[in-house]
Amino acid sequence: MSDLDAVLARVDADLDASLERLFALLRIPSVSTDPAFADQCVACADHLAADLKSIGFDAARRDTIGHPMVVAHGGPKPGSGAGPHVLFYGHYDVQPPDPLEKWESGPFEPRIVETPAGKRIVARGSSDDKGQLMTFIEAARAYMAVNGELPLPVTILLEGEEESGSKSIAPFFAANQAELTADVALVCDTGMWDADTPAITTRLRGVVHDEMFVTCPSRDLHSGMYGGAAMNPIRLLARIIASLHDDTGRVRIPGFYDGVSDLDAEIKAQWDGLDFDESEFLGDVGLSIPAGEKGRSVLELIWARPTAEINGIIGGYTGVGSKTVIPSMASAKVTFRLVGDQDPAKIVDNFRAYVRAQMPADCKVEFSPDGGGNAALQVALDSPHLAAARRALADEWKREAVLIGSGGSIPIVGDFKAKLGMDTLLIGFALDDDRIHSPNEKYNLKSFHRGIRSWVRIMDELAKG
Ligand code: BES
Ligand code: MN
Ligand code: MN
């Protein structure tokens, strides 16, 4: 048996134990956005650092201004000639599990569910991103167990604030630049093309968030005594929100499309050739009509077009029964997905100017003190690392990896390039129907198992050069 086959056999034989270890991680409710779970984020970081130490990594929890990171070093010394030095990144934080009543079992009580399509691991974080980050850790564990060493130098960086804005990254990178810089970053936080076809993500949308608070009367009013005379902030907010898109789905904020270019013909042809089933994609979530700019394919809308979304509206009386009130204030949370060269700072400025221009002189609007975000990102297609990963994925899945875009965002990837000068390979095993950020999140057992095997092969191919 070759060394590689021996490691793969070890992965297969150890799958039940790998799953147990993933379950232990899934039981920790490491919700990053809610301060009530801060201790759980620390516990999760400690758990991962201890696990990495048990494999043979030099690993530690690293405290930050927010939730801790975990940094680990393993394998041959960088520069010793054994392959490129890779930095593997994943995030251990998860989205809040609410609405709790929509879960068929506890979000932090992982279980295996048998379905006609195979076994599924169900829990918050199973797919995003604990199941995915464990594919790499389990691959490293099997490699170390069989060969006593990894085939190439590996640094692991696990973040605890990806789902809540990644505020610690900038200071953490500045303080640890040399330690974190490798030849290439590997990120396991994206999806496959379908359940049998691997994918490498070559473009990520950026994301900008903001919140607007509209105040009209100085206090809540009787809607009979003042109705008709006093402006209602919900009415004003609703008008502004409704005006964000025109009838063709285009965003109406002046300057919004600066830096957005049309798809080049080659990429468009490639995407059209992917045979993406638009009605299945929308049908799966109970819809049938694309909501974005008319005349563009769904893949183009999610991979290559920007958006303006309202993520939440707050205002007025929402209790049982009716209350005749004109509230003093109403607010909305908004996000924009960015593509191409759209500038996050300009998007925020243009949005705020657009809102202010619609305010009557006697009403006022304020914005969140931390509005902002990150730009979109495109990966170089001609790198030797990408070629090595494609070979490895084809060996494992017996199908060529598809080069895909992603509608989602992973803020740190831009910083890898901008702050550490590293390119990133985005390889993940999630599926569109994993329900990430939603109740009953799942990760297919096949994604987990073959994901581990894929990383074994990718490390091996990268080391061969
Ligand atoms: N893993 C996702 C991003 C993702 C989603 C990649 C779908 C590929 C396909 C990531 O954890 C995420 O949810 N990112 C947030 C970032 C935001 C909170 C700054 C996002 O995209 O909304
Ligand atoms: Mn994620
Ligand atoms: Mn996420």
Side-chain angles (χ1 to χ4, degrees):
M1 209 188 302
S2 75
D3 279 4
L4 177 63
D5 287 334
V7 180
L8 293 171
R10 168 83 191 191
V11 170
D12 298 348
D14 208 30
L15 185 61
D16 285 345
S18 298
L19 208 49
E20 249 334 295
R21 287 185 287 265
L22 171 58
F23 275 27
L25 185 63
L26 291 169
R27 285 188 191 105
I28 308 172
S30 46
V31 178
S32 61
T33 195
D34 182 347
F37 293 86
D39 290 353
Q40 300 294 334
C41 291
V42 174
C44 198
D46 282 335
H47 174 95
L48 284 160
D51 189 35
L52 286 165
K53 274 189 200 156
S54 80
I55 306 178
F57 279 89
D58 176 11
R61 181 185 108 202
R62 303 278 287 267
D63 291 333
T64 68
I65 51 169
H67 303 309
M69 310 260 183
V70 175
V71 179
H73 302 282
K77 283 242 160 336
S80 63
H85 177 192
V86 299
L87 175 85
F88 176 84
Y89 164 87
H91 63 92
Y92 70 76
D93 64 319
V94 299
Q95 287 278 331
D98 62 278
L100 278 174
E101 66 280 6
K102 294 267 171 65
W103 284 80
E104 280 155 26
S105 54
F108 300 107
E109 293 157 26
R111 60 191 184 116
I112 294 283
V113 175
E114 310 257 0
T115 77
K119 292 183 178 170
R120 296 171 159 190
I121 304 158
V122 179
R124 169 58 85 235
S126 55
S127 175
D128 187 14
D129 182 42
K130 290 171 173 174
Q132 300 241 68
L133 74 86
M134 284 303 281
T135 59
F136 186 87
I137 292 180
E138 292 301 312
R141 188 190 315 273
Y143 227 112
M144 298 282 264
V146 172
N147 293 327
E149 186 58 299
L150 296 167
L152 73 187
V154 175
T155 297
I156 294 181
L157 170 67
L158 305 174
E159 186 196 351
E161 294 179 303
E162 195 273 349
E163 302 289 12
S164 56
S166 296
K167 279 191 199 62
S168 301
I169 285 176
F172 193 74
F173 277 18
N176 302 283
Q177 192 175 347
E179 184 186 357
L180 297 173
T181 302
D183 296 314
V184 62
L186 307 176
V187 172
C188 191
D189 196 23
T190 52
M192 308 219 298
W193 171 246
D194 63 31
D196 304 303
T197 316
I200 300 179
T201 297
T202 60
R203 36 166 92 209
L204 285 173
R205 288 199 286 194
V207 61
V208 158
H209 59 97
D210 203 7
E211 193 161 355
M212 54 177 158
F213 305 86
V214 173
T215 307
C216 293
S218 56
R219 57 186 169 82
D220 286 7
L221 304 175
H222 187 289
S223 67
M225 276 177 74
Y226 288 91
M231 179 46 110
N232 182 323
I234 300 178
R235 168 176 155 196
L236 187 52
L237 187 74
R239 186 165 76 205
I240 294 169
I241 289 171
S243 79
L244 282 172
H245 298 86
D246 73 12
D247 289 343
T248 70
R250 200 175 157 87
V251 176
R252 295 181 57 217
I253 299 168
F256 186 73
Y257 289 92
D258 290 356
V260 180
S261 35
D262 268 323
L263 269 189
D264 72 53
E266 195 185 332
I267 299 210
K268 187 175 179 341
Q270 191 201 323
W271 290 1
D272 287 345
L274 286 174
D275 248 349
F276 180 73
D277 190 335
E278 299 193 347
S279 33
E280 185 184 313
F281 181 75
L282 285 174
D284 190 43
V285 295
L287 296 172
S288 57
I289 307 163
E293 299 157 87
K294 299 249 182 314
R296 300 184 189 268
S297 74
V298 167
L299 276 190
E300 185 179 357
L301 290 174
I302 55 180
W303 289 354
R305 300 301 297 174
T307 67
E309 295 293 348
I310 314 304
N311 307 112
I313 298 186
I314 304 150
Y317 179 70
T318 57
V320 211
S322 155
K323 179 182 181 190
T324 49
V325 65
I326 294 175
S328 168
M329 189 165 96
S331 63
K333 295 175 189 281
V334 297
T335 51
F336 302 93
R337 295 283 166 175
L338 311 192
V339 301
D341 294 322
Q342 279 178 300
D343 176 346
K346 282 196 184 141
I347 295 290
V348 174
D349 287 351
N350 292 348
F351 165 66
R352 292 179 175 185
Y354 176 80
V355 172
R356 284 196 186 102
Q358 298 186 60
M359 298 300 292
D362 60 346
C363 298
K364 73 166 192 218
V365 61
E366 287 168 305
F367 296 92
S368 158
D370 56 19
N374 61 284
L377 183 123
Q378 249 167 274
V379 173
L381 299 180
D382 55 359
S383 89
H385 306 127
L386 187 107
R390 292 187 91 168
R391 288 196 298 275
L393 288 169
D395 285 346
E396 175 59 25
W397 296 86
K398 310 288 176 236
R399 288 192 188 190
E400 284 298 318
V402 178
L403 300 184
I404 62 172
S406 164
S409 311
I410 308 173
I412 202 168
V413 179
D415 294 294
F416 284 152
K417 186 76 191 176
K419 308 266 173 56
L420 304 178
M422 285 190 289
D423 283 321
T424 297
L425 270 179
L426 292 151
I427 300 170
F429 308 96
L431 294 173
D432 285 343
D433 70 354
D434 278 356
R435 301 167 185 257
I436 65 170
H437 296 201
S438 300
N440 304 307
E441 177 177 350
K442 62 89 173 160
Y443 197 44
N444 288 5
L445 183 60
K446 180 172 170 183
S447 287
F448 184 57
H449 181 192
R450 304 284 291 278
I452 301 172
R453 291 175 52 101
S454 298
W455 285 119
V456 167
R457 292 184 190 272
I458 294 167
M459 281 194 269
D460 200 63
E461 275 300 324
L462 285 170
K464 279 199 233 159

